[in-house]
Amino acid sequence: MIISIASGKGGTGKTTVAANLAASLNQPVTVLDCDVEEPNLHLFLHPEIQSREKVIAPVPEIDLDRCTFCKKCMDICRFNAIAVTANTVVTFPELCHSCGGCTVICPENAVTEKERILGTVETGTVPLPDMNFGQGLLDIGQVMVPPVIRQVKSHRAPDQGITLIDAPPGTSCPVIAAMKDTDFVVLVTEPTPFGLNDLKLAVETVRLMNIPHGLIINRAGIGDDAVYAYAKEKNLPVLMEIPYDKAIAQAYSKGDLIIAQQEDYKEKFQTLYKKICLLADSEKCAP
Amino acid sequence: MKELVILSGKGGTGKTSLTAAFAGLKSSLMLCDADVDAADLHLIMAPDVQETHDFVGGNEAVIAPDRCTGCGTCLELCRFDAIDENQGEYTVDALNCEGCGVCVDMCPESAIDFPRKTCGQWFVSHTRFGPMVHARLGIAEENSGRLVALVREQAKKRARDAHIDLILTDGPPGIGCPVIASIGQASAILIVAEPTVSGIHDMKRVGELAAHFKIPAMVCINKFDLNLDQTRAIETIAREKNILVAGKIPFDPAFTKAMIQIQTLLEYDDTCPAAKAVRNIWETVMTHPAMKLERLM
């Protein structure tokens, strides 16, 4: 069972939900932080990192002794990552999407692929019973986010286990890479005009991907009722409400879990998981 | 001409509300919403759209079943796992297609079409604070960086034509491709940080990004009274990294109330403590040397 926590908008409480849900389950769980531009889950779960691996993308290197400057590599590259002049070839690794087109098309076998580092994936365990942890970190200045996310996701729990994915904000390639092939998406929103606007985009995205989904309304009471009306109109199940509470905001600011401060929330997050199980493909749910 | 880009690393720290509040503090400026993925500035600015343009962001491979012989070359070559095979029938999974065109060029039967794809729209609008350029990226589309670059280019061009000397840009969250596209050649960035462990972590990353691209950075702390220890930590980090702390805004429900009324903070309540803090931050930011320097754009 793989559950993604997403939101469209940033700052709605994705990480809060992911961390507290993970720590409330009485079963083995793997949590993966796929917000690789700004991973924050580790600040709440304090994992012990046991291994680090680089995320590597192949980029072309041209053997100028073999190159006949035929320009086929430049012509096949849709990302302007190769420029061929009369007697030299310049590559722009930061524009390369690693499609391998230049390697395949070169008639002289003059293109080899060298490795470019996009970021790091770290894995380890959390000092709580049965919790594995993984996160990706995009290197500063790099733009290729989806490969880093895909590599984090390769560390998901074995077949019967539960995997929770903390997704990045937005509705474009990074969040698609994070939500793809997951069994359920929890959309976290806040009841404000910004929250509603971004929720609508997120709902369109999840529906396009055809993944079962439900809603958590965080900071309930801070804004207006429009989010509730929208949920009703679109048949979006509201799985949980977390009221606006200064104590919760302060706990978050220090990196504390809600369940560590307010005991009753552990049961609320367990109920949340049960509701998810009812809405997701039941065969995927661990007993 | 000068451009101030409001960033935060993390989403939800108040970038858009602050950008909106700033908009009323100068008589002539150009607004630019560079968060094309989840644009929100229009919710306060209520723009009157004057121009709508399609954003054609790339191409997408489509296999023509009548010409496909099922040789499997495309499946073999695609590095993005975008070709699906089902009982000898090959199709492209649009969600995975990167638009590289390798399958198109290498198909021995020329059975793969490569139509251009409209990935979103961009707009030029009137608002009560001046002109605004903004956009909406289509759901699940790529190339948000290119759309951000286009929106900023248009904002500059139109500001130049209208003799407007300041562009105020609401930036996207994160540190990836849209953010990098939003800061190139900006006069300065203002980071909105919140005093939380994640707010600090994200502010550091976006600060490093600005340093990497040599863009002068300032920081302001929103909801500073939520956690005074973390606020002090931000001030210390900023000092170490030579980032000016432009000011601190107290937690104030007026921001949310203003948003619901489709108003900026200053329109909603000109006298609340947050409004006073916003004015002071604006003064500090505008007198920063980086904002005095005329840049050729």
Side-chain angles (χ1 to χ4, degrees):
Chain A
M1 172 80 152
I2 310 177
I3 303 166
S4 287
I5 323 283
S7 71
K9 181 175 157 53
T12 56
K14 279 185 298 294
T15 302
T16 303
V17 169
N20 283 282
L21 176 58
S24 299
L25 296 171
N26 293 321
Q27 320 174 42
V29 59
T30 298
V31 275
L32 301 175
D33 194 343
C34 287
D35 188 357
V36 305
E37 293 180 52
E38 302 288 9
N40 287 146
L41 202 52
H42 67 283
L43 300 168
F44 297 85
L45 294 176
H46 312 287
E48 291 155 18
I49 299 300
Q50 278 127 9
S51 77
R52 286 187 175 81
E53 60 199 51
K54 290 288 174 200
V55 183
I56 284 161
V59 293
E61 189 165 46
I62 315 291
D63 180 350
L64 290 176
D65 293 337
R66 289 183 164 206
C67 179
T68 59
F69 310 102
C70 72
K71 298 193 176 167
K72 287 202 166 112
C73 56
M74 180 167 89
D75 294 341
I76 200 173
C77 181
R78 261 84 181 184
F79 307 108
N80 303 315
I82 303 183
V84 182
T85 62
N87 53 10
T88 196
V89 183
V90 182
T91 61
F92 302 96
E94 65 281 6
L95 297 178
C96 175
H97 286 226
S98 302
C99 70
C102 49
T103 316
V104 186
I105 206 157
C106 177
E108 312 297 334
N109 288 324
V111 183
T112 50
E113 294 184 8
K114 63 177 177 185
E115 293 177 342
R116 174 169 64 119
I117 295 168
L118 302 177
T120 311
V121 170
E122 299 178 332
T123 51
T125 52
V126 172
L128 285 168
D130 270 333
M131 195 189 296
N132 289 311
F133 177 88
Q135 69 175 357
L137 265 168
L138 183 74
D139 277 2
I140 300 289
Q142 292 293 343
V143 297
M144 295 290 287
V145 172
V148 185
I149 292 176
R150 285 195 287 268
Q151 193 159 326
V152 181
K153 284 176 74 181
S154 71
H155 293 279
R156 70 189 177 87
D159 278 351
Q160 292 302 309
I162 305 169
T163 303
L164 297 183
I165 289 177
D166 192 1
T171 59
S172 64
C173 12
V175 73
I176 302 288
M179 296 196 301
K180 203 169 174 0
D181 300 320
T182 66
D183 302 308
F184 193 86
V185 175
V186 175
L187 295 167
V188 187
T189 190
E190 54 175 34
T192 65
F194 289 1
L196 175 61
N197 181 63
D198 300 342
L199 173 67
K200 286 179 181 169
L201 301 173
V203 168
E204 275 186 63
T205 312
V206 193
R207 295 204 162 163
L208 182 80
M209 297 177 78
N210 212 3
I211 306 174
H213 51 280
L215 194 60
I216 291 182
I217 298 177
N218 191 17
R219 301 192 192 105
I222 200 175
D224 55 10
D225 292 333
V227 163
Y228 295 90
Y230 173 76
K232 200 168 168 200
E233 180 201 324
K234 292 285 171 183
N235 266 323
L236 276 170
V238 177
L239 305 171
M240 185 178 188
E241 280 180 83
I242 304 172
Y244 178 76
D245 176 345
K246 202 163 181 195
I248 292 178
Q250 279 168 339
Y252 171 83
S253 77
K254 287 184 277 187
D256 291 344
L257 296 175
I258 310 175
I259 57 167
Q261 302 229 330
Q262 301 188 31
E263 191 59 30
D264 55 327
Y265 268 91
K266 189 162 186 174
E267 210 183 301
K268 290 183 183 171
F269 279 102
Q270 287 166 349
T271 307
L272 167 69
Y273 179 67
K274 283 182 199 142
K275 287 185 182 168
I276 292 171
C277 283
L278 288 174
L279 291 165
D281 182 349
S282 54
E283 279 175 27
K284 296 274 173 63
C285 250
Chain B
M1 198 184 347
K2 287 147 241 166
E3 183 187 14
L4 178 71
V5 183
I6 319 285
L7 287 182
S8 66
K10 185 176 154 54
T13 58
K15 274 189 302 295
T16 303
S17 291
L18 189 66
T19 307
F22 281 165
L25 291 172
K26 193 169 187 303
S27 56
S28 162
L29 52 69
M30 166 70 73
L31 285 161
C32 175
D33 192 347
D35 186 358
V36 301
D37 223 10
D40 282 333
L41 190 58
H42 66 280
L43 296 172
I44 301 185
M45 292 301 145
D48 180 8
V49 176
Q50 304 290 307
E51 294 174 31
T52 302
H53 302 268
D54 281 339
F55 167 62
V56 181
N59 301 59
E60 185 175 294
V62 183
I63 298 172
D66 53 326
R67 307 204 301 273
C68 175
T69 58
C71 72
T73 304
C74 53
L75 179 74
E76 204 178 295
L77 289 177
C78 179
R79 291 195 178 172
F80 305 103
D81 207 12
I83 312 282
D84 293 330
E85 191 255 355
N86 186 11
Q87 295 175 345
E89 209 170 285
Y90 289 78
T91 48
V92 177
D93 176 354
L95 279 180
N96 277 9
C97 179
E98 190 88 1
C100 70
V102 170
C103 58
V104 178
D105 291 349
M106 302 309 282
C107 174
E109 309 297 330
S110 301
I112 306 180
D113 297 322
F114 205 41
R116 282 176 78 72
K117 190 169 65 151
T118 299
C119 296
Q121 288 180 314
W122 60 275
F123 317 95
V124 184
S125 302
H126 284 325
T127 77
R128 59 195 186 280
F129 300 106
M132 169 166 160
V133 182
H134 49 124
R136 192 191 152 167
L137 188 72
I139 295 294
E141 292 295 357
E142 315 219 340
N143 282 315
S144 55
R146 278 186 53 197
L147 182 53
V148 169
L150 188 138
V151 164
R152 286 183 68 222
E153 242 165 64
Q154 286 295 331
K156 276 178 204 167
K157 179 174 171 285
R158 285 152 199 272
R160 207 182 300 123
D161 293 349
H163 305 288
I164 292 172
D165 71 347
L166 178 68
I167 303 171
L168 196 55
T169 300
D170 188 8
I175 59 158
C177 123
V179 180
I180 289 175
S182 77
I183 63 171
Q185 293 177 350
S187 307
I189 66 164
L190 175 65
I191 305 169
V192 186
E194 54 173 34
T196 65
V197 284
S198 33
I200 291 178
H201 182 256
D202 298 344
M203 166 201 137
K204 278 190 196 160
R205 303 245 304 156
V206 79
E208 282 171 38
L209 185 78
H212 181 90
F213 289 104
K214 300 191 170 60
I215 310 288
M218 293 170 260
V219 64
C220 69
I221 308 169
N222 195 14
K223 305 179 189 163
F224 84 90
D225 45 356
L226 184 66
N227 187 325
L228 294 174
D229 291 337
Q230 305 285 9
T231 290
R232 276 190 289 274
I234 293 177
E235 289 171 317
T236 307
I237 294 164
R239 240 191 332 268
E240 281 165 9
K241 297 199 181 282
N242 234 338
I243 296 174
L244 175 76
V245 178
K248 296 184 278 192
I249 307 168
F251 173 78
D252 193 337
F255 271 112
T256 308
K257 289 180 183 154
M259 186 200 297
I260 290 164
Q261 309 282 329
I262 318 177
Q263 287 179 335
T264 70
L265 176 73
L266 298 170
E267 287 174 316
Y268 178 77
D269 183 354
D270 199 18
T271 57
C272 64
K276 202 175 151 207
V278 168
R279 277 178 199 282
N280 288 337
I281 291 168
W282 178 252
E283 289 300 320
T284 309
V285 169
M286 285 300 129
T287 47
H288 188 277
M291 293 306 296
K292 297 252 174 193
L293 214 64
E294 206 54 50
R295 285 182 86 114
L296 283 174
M297 295 205 269

